[in-house]
Amino acid sequence: MGTRARADVELARKRLGAGAAGPEGASPQFSSGATAALSWALGGAERSPVTGCDTAQEVPGLETLTAEVDAAVVQAEDPTSRPGPREYNRGVHAALAWVCGHSEDAP
């Protein structure tokens, strides 16, 4: 999936679930977004975390992952976005950017 091994993505999701991941001081919304993104990237969600695209629990390809990264950026940078949803979208972006190889920092 993306450029990361499935085992690495599963480990990152487990760390988030244990509250041990994310940047220092990350909000619960950030962690929730990152967890939702990793679950979706693993094929464990029916809908993508930002656009709500129906993926029928398939593992999304790199093109679909990248499109969701782009959507998360647009939503996170929207000046009218409230802090909670903005942090959620930042978490989605951080997780999927890592999965796609755009970042070396796991969420």
Side-chain angles (χ1 to χ4, degrees):
M1 66 203 41
T3 62
R4 305 289 171 194
R6 182 177 186 86
D8 293 338
V9 177
E10 289 173 344
L11 179 62
R13 183 179 63 176
K14 286 179 186 174
R15 286 181 41 226
L16 277 168
E24 188 171 326
S27 70
Q29 293 88 351
F30 180 96
S31 296
S32 177
T35 300
L38 294 176
S39 294
W40 174 69
L42 290 164
E46 291 183 21
R47 299 204 173 273
S48 60
V50 176
T51 63
C53 178
D54 184 0
T55 56
Q57 294 186 335
E58 295 175 7
V59 174
L62 185 57
E63 184 176 312
T64 304
L65 290 164
T66 302
E68 198 71 6
V69 169
D70 292 344
V73 169
V74 169
Q75 293 296 317
E77 292 180 354
D78 181 352
T80 64
S81 179
R82 298 176 61 123
R86 185 179 317 120
E87 286 300 304
Y88 176 88
N89 287 312
R90 284 185 60 239
V92 170
H93 175 266
L96 294 181
W98 174 73
V99 168
C100 292
H102 302 299
S103 171
E104 291 302 313
D105 300 323

